[in-house]
Amino acid sequence: MLSFIFVFNLLHALNVFAIDSDEWKLIFKAATGGNGSVYELFTGPDILNVDNIHAQSLLQPVKEHFKSDIVNQWSELGISEVLVRIHNNGEEVAYFMFDGVGSNKTNWFSLARLKQSSYADLYNSSTNAPINFFSIIGHQKPSRRVYRSFYINSIWKGCSKDIGWLNILDVNSTWGCRTWEAVHLTELPAILYSPLQTGAHYEEVASALLAESMSVSVRFDRSNMTCVRMCSTPVQQDASSYCYKPCDSPSVIDVEQKVEQLKEKLTVDRKSTSMYKRSLRSVYENRTSAKTMGIMGAAIIASVIGLFVFFDCLRWKQNNNQ
């Protein structure tokens, strides 16, 4: 019984949580007006605000991004589905669901992998609209200083006739279509979406394009995961939980090895302590009495040594005279 309690407490202390394959896990959130590029954060190696529950909120308009380490470990975690949601006033106003099997952190966001959408003309065999952009990298044009990421667009016919569904006008943009993009240059990155049930002529609904946030959540396919030992490197999901590739067999949890690792980390080498190091050092003493005692001690030692040397010299001289 005691060993069971010890194991339970150990696993709790290590923040080991198995992934529930039926639950959507929030792994990324981009906020309008948040600090930094959405595209660079998602595709780069950094994580952000894993210990900030407010930044992870989809109910409040918090202007902070969030990124879990799951994004960086995308190809290793058996992701089966991906859900992109657009939020306004704490509510979901649009969504896109993708097939995540065998995907990496960028190629899942494509028309070929789209499974469902709240837009009737984006995923419907009879009414599919033409598409000229559907990717995370989107339309990046440094020469014009325009950076559109997570870009799903249908038609370019001049700014007044552009039609699309989603566009994050990212930081570093200094140009945009005057009537519906440029007005948001002061709140970059700006998440722009179609507020209709279909793709929108952006200019016609310019006042309703701006969303508060965009989130990315995933589901995991347990059957496609490879069992690994719990002592492997964890993937941080948020401030208090870590994801491991889960296994059905509890034998993969090597508790003894975990205990040994903890012992090794918690054991302090006696010779590395400050107390031990201080014991090897002499302390300088500046008092007159201490100096006097030191001089007397040195004189006594020198006298004793001198006597031995003196008698040795006498004996040597006597031997030479004989």
Side-chain angles (χ1 to χ4, degrees):
M1 182 64 180
L2 290 176
S3 61
F4 174 79
I5 295 175
F6 173 76
V7 171
F8 177 82
N9 289 335
L10 175 63
L11 295 182
H12 179 73
L14 293 172
N15 292 321
V16 176
F17 294 86
I19 296 172
D20 182 352
S21 61
D22 295 326
E23 182 183 355
W24 288 108
K25 297 293 185 182
L26 177 68
I27 63 170
F28 184 80
K29 190 201 84 173
T32 288
N35 185 27
S37 165
V38 174
Y39 175 76
E40 291 178 1
L41 176 61
F42 189 86
T43 58
D46 295 335
I47 60 176
L48 184 66
N49 285 327
V50 293
D51 57 349
N52 186 340
I53 59 174
H54 298 292
Q56 299 170 38
S57 173
L58 304 178
L59 302 177
Q60 300 175 352
V62 180
K63 294 185 177 183
E64 294 183 89
H65 304 321
F66 159 69
K67 180 186 175 184
S68 161
D69 196 32
I70 291 177
V71 177
N72 298 331
Q73 308 294 332
W74 191 288
S75 302
E76 308 298 325
L77 294 175
I79 292 173
S80 61
E81 291 181 307
V82 189
L83 181 63
V84 175
R85 291 178 286 186
I86 311 301
H87 308 272
N88 247 346
N89 300 317
E91 297 182 356
E92 177 187 300
V93 292
Y95 76 89
F96 311 85
M97 186 184 295
F98 300 87
D99 178 10
V101 176
S103 64
N104 60 37
K105 68 189 292 186
T106 55
N107 70 8
W108 60 271
F109 191 85
S110 67
L111 179 62
R113 288 184 171 272
L114 185 66
K115 296 176 67 175
Q116 296 180 32
S117 174
S118 57
Y119 295 110
D121 60 341
L122 189 57
Y123 189 74
N124 185 297
S125 59
S126 61
T127 61
N128 279 355
I131 293 176
N132 61 355
F133 281 95
F134 200 131
S135 66
I136 289 177
I137 192 172
H139 178 230
Q140 312 272 334
K141 196 167 184 179
S143 62
R144 294 290 298 273
R145 302 294 291 175
V146 60
Y147 299 86
R148 299 172 176 133
S149 58
F150 286 88
Y151 193 31
I152 308 177
N153 197 73
S154 178
I155 295 174
W156 276 358
K157 287 186 177 180
C159 286
S160 62
K161 296 183 179 180
D162 284 359
I163 299 174
W165 298 268
L166 180 63
N167 170 17
I168 296 183
L169 188 63
D170 220 337
V171 298
N172 300 322
S173 295
T174 58
W175 180 91
C177 288
R178 181 176 57 83
T179 55
W180 56 272
E181 270 185 322
V183 293
H184 300 296
L185 289 175
T186 58
E187 47 197 344
L188 300 180
I191 301 170
L192 309 177
Y193 80 106
S194 168
L196 309 177
Q197 297 300 309
T198 61
H201 283 84
Y202 293 125
E203 187 172 271
E204 294 179 2
V205 291
S207 62
L209 290 176
L210 191 66
E212 290 174 353
S213 64
M214 179 198 76
S215 66
V216 179
S217 302
V218 296
R219 277 179 175 159
F220 301 90
D221 182 2
R222 184 182 295 268
S223 64
N224 286 335
M225 293 183 180
T226 303
C227 289
V228 296
R229 304 173 81 87
M230 281 295 189
C231 58
S232 64
T233 302
V235 178
Q236 186 164 15
Q237 179 182 332
D238 53 43
S240 60
S241 62
Y242 297 80
C243 293
Y244 296 81
K245 298 178 186 178
C247 299
D248 294 330
S249 172
S251 62
V252 298
I253 304 176
D254 193 338
V255 177
E256 291 184 3
Q257 185 172 353
K258 270 298 182 187
V259 172
E260 290 302 318
Q261 289 179 349
L262 287 175
K263 284 182 179 179
E264 184 177 346
K265 289 181 179 180
L266 296 175
T267 300
V268 178
D269 183 3
R270 184 179 66 86
K271 293 185 178 181
S272 67
T273 62
S274 57
M275 180 180 294
Y276 177 80
K277 292 178 180 178
R278 286 197 302 269
S279 69
L280 301 178
R281 297 173 183 169
S282 298
V283 179
Y284 177 73
E285 180 58 78
N286 196 36
R287 291 180 300 176
T288 303
S289 59
K291 291 180 179 180
T292 302
M293 292 296 294
I295 293 171
M296 290 179 61
I300 292 172
I301 293 173
S303 299
V304 172
I305 295 174
L307 284 174
F308 281 107
V309 172
F310 175 73
F311 287 123
D312 284 342
C313 289
L314 287 178
R315 189 177 296 108
W316 176 78
K317 186 176 181 180
Q318 290 174 357
N319 291 336
N320 284 341
N321 290 335
Q322 293 176 356

